[in-house]
Each structure stands twice: as structure tokens, then as C-alpha cells.
């Protein structure tokens, strides 16, 4: 049996604008923009949350047994992607508000999650961690999932079983998934995709606000 839960909320966080909210964008992006000189790098990360109440109850009751869980995101014409790269998912460690902004709003909408703020600029609640911005997440054994892309972009079906099981058994809050490239800003290592000056292009996936049938979903 396959059960699908559709995204409750999602958004893209853009490093280039610390307070921009993009909660109502039809596209989710994992971007990497590198300046011509290679000295400036701006990235983006995806936040996405699913209500797991029904799945949790079904596992507890025995309706769903020994489940595997997959995060499904559907390809929406990415740009300038390099070959053979991966995306990673982690459980977000703090709560956040989706907001009702769009990345092309002028002036920008600042209420709702952004690179710097969890709930919006007016509230002023910052993401708090070593990274200080771009959201916060749990890491370590069982807290990471990944999906590899080779030669072309395709729909993503990432095995996130370990992360979902962490939510169910480790008493950590379900604040959704963070989807990003490896590494972190400021870590200039060629093996860590976010921190290097290597041009890798931009992944694009349909969001919950798409007008297509390709909305993000969690598969059990």
C-alpha cells in the first residue's frame, strides 16, 4: 500500500536577501549563484513540512507496517545544472512561518520565513545556531538523507525513512525538512558544494502552490 501526504507548507530561503519571504512561490529552488570573479556566492535552501498525524496513527495502529518514507519533489526546468551532484535533506530544528510573499514582489514581502528570520522581519525572531542564518537543522547519524543526480535533472524521490523515524521515536519536533546542497556558507572547500565557488546551477521543483498536479508529497 502507498499513502501520500501533500505538503502543508513550504518556502525557499534566499541568502541574497536576508528578509525576503517566498512562501507563495510556485517554484522551490536550491540555487547557487556565483559572480563572474568567483568571489561572491549566493545560495538558497528549501523548507517543506508535512502533517504526519495520520501516518503516525496508522503506524501505531498497525494499519501501516514496516514503512519506508520518500520525499517526492517534481522537476520544474532547472537551470545550468552541473552533472553528478547531490541534494541533502535534514530535519529542521526550529519552527517557522510559511508567509505569503513571492520572490518577485516589489517591494519585497518580509513577513514569514526568510534567510535571517523564522517568522518575519517585524517579529524579529532569528534562526539561532552556529550558522546563524539560512535555518537550523539536526545533523548526525540518522538525521541526513540524500539523492544523487547524474547527467540530467529528474524528479526527486529521496528516501527519508530515518528522518521520519527520528520524529516518531526520538521526541524531536516535526518542523519539516531542509533541502540543500552539502556543506555550509563560509566553508571554502571544493568537496562541500555550498561553500565552494564551483558553479553547480539551480534545482527547481514545483511547490504546494503550483497550478499543476505536481505538488510535493511524502510517500509512505
Amino acid at each position: 500500500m502507498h499513502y501520500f501526504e501533500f505538503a502543508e507548507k513550504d518556502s525557499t530561503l534566499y541568502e541574497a536577501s536576508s528578509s525576503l519571504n517566498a512562501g507563495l512561490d510556485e517554484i522551490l529552488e536550491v540555487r547557487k549563484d556565483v559572480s563572474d570573479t568567483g568571489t561572491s556566492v549566493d545560495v538558497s535552501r528549501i523548507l517543506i513540512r508535512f502533517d504526519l498525524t495520520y501516518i503516525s496513527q496508522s503506524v501505531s495502529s498497525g494499519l501501516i507496517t514496516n514503512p519506508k518514507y520518500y520525499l517526492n519533489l517534481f522537476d520544474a526546468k532547472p537551470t545550468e545544472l552541473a552533472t553528478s551532484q547531490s541534494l541533502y535533506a535534514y530535519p529542521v530544528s526550529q519552527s517557522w512561518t510559511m508567509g505569503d510573499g513571492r520572490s518577485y514582489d516589489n517591494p519585497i514581502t518580509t513577513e514569514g520565513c526568510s534567510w535571517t528570520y523564522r517568522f518575519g522581519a517585524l517579529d524579529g525572531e532569528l534562526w539561532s545556531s552556529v550558522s546563524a542564518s539560512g535555518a537550523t537543522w539536526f545533523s548526525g547519524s540518522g538525521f541526513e538523507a540524500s539523492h544523487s543526480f547524474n547527467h540530467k535533472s529528474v524528479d526527486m524521490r529521496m528516501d527519508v525513512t530515518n528522518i521520519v523515524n527520528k520524529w516518531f521515536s526520538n521526541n524531536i519536533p516535526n518542523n519539516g525538512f531542509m533541502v540543500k546542497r552539502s556543506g555550509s556558507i563560509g566553508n571554502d572547500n571544493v568537496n562541500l558544494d555550498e561553500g565552494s565557488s564551483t558553479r553547480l546551477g539551480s534545482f527547481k521543483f514545483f511547490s504546494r502552490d503550483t497550478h499543476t498536479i505536481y505538488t510535493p508529497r511524502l510517500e509512505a
Side-chain angles (χ1 to χ4, degrees):
M1 180 183 75
H2 291 259
Y3 173 78
F4 295 93
E5 188 72 50
F6 294 92
E8 176 187 48
K9 59 181 182 178
D10 57 26
S11 189
T12 302
L13 309 182
Y14 292 96
E15 184 192 11
S17 178
S18 62
S19 59
L20 180 149
N21 174 261
L24 291 186
D25 271 3
E26 296 177 16
I27 301 296
L28 300 169
E29 298 187 287
V30 179
R31 294 185 65 88
K32 187 172 186 185
D33 300 315
V34 181
S35 66
D36 291 340
T37 61
T39 57
S40 176
V41 179
D42 288 314
V43 304
S44 72
R45 300 165 177 168
I46 293 171
L47 295 183
I48 185 166
R49 185 185 187 278
F50 300 85
D51 185 346
L52 301 179
T53 303
Y54 177 81
I55 293 177
S56 177
Q57 292 173 345
S58 297
V59 171
S60 297
S61 68
L63 181 62
I64 298 177
T65 58
N66 299 318
K68 298 281 286 183
Y69 303 103
Y70 298 92
L71 174 60
N72 290 269
L73 298 178
F74 296 93
D75 184 65
K77 295 184 179 179
T79 55
E80 300 179 347
L81 282 186
T83 59
S84 301
Q85 55 179 310
S86 297
L87 291 182
Y88 296 82
Y90 303 88
V92 181
S93 59
Q94 293 179 283
S95 58
W96 49 281
T97 299
M98 187 177 94
D100 57 4
R102 294 176 174 85
S103 57
Y104 49 83
D105 285 346
N106 187 15
I108 65 171
T109 298
T110 61
E111 293 315 298
C113 64
S114 64
W115 188 264
T116 301
Y117 302 103
R118 294 165 56 195
F119 308 119
L122 183 63
D123 177 275
E125 188 74 25
L126 302 174
W127 296 105
S128 57
S129 74
V130 175
S131 64
S133 55
T136 60
W137 57 92
F138 294 103
S139 60
S141 178
F143 288 104
E144 179 183 280
S146 65
H147 182 89
S148 297
F149 298 83
N150 293 305
H151 304 296
K152 64 179 181 178
S153 175
V154 295
D155 296 340
M156 187 183 82
R157 185 173 182 259
M158 182 188 292
D159 186 340
V160 292
T161 302
N162 288 339
I163 294 176
V164 176
N165 285 338
K166 290 284 188 183
W167 281 326
F168 290 163
S169 63
N170 281 39
N171 197 31
I172 63 171
N174 170 21
N175 292 313
F177 298 98
M178 156 70 69
V179 180
K180 63 189 292 293
R181 286 188 167 102
S182 65
S184 60
I185 306 305
N187 188 341
D188 190 14
N189 185 316
V190 294
N191 295 317
L192 299 176
D193 295 337
E194 275 196 348
S196 74
S197 59
T198 305
R199 289 178 171 82
L200 296 172
S202 299
F203 287 96
K204 298 176 187 287
F205 302 102
F206 291 105
S207 79
R208 69 184 297 276
D209 290 292
T210 179
H211 296 295
T212 73
I213 63 172
Y214 301 111
T215 55
R217 61 202 65 176
L218 184 72
E219 173 187 354

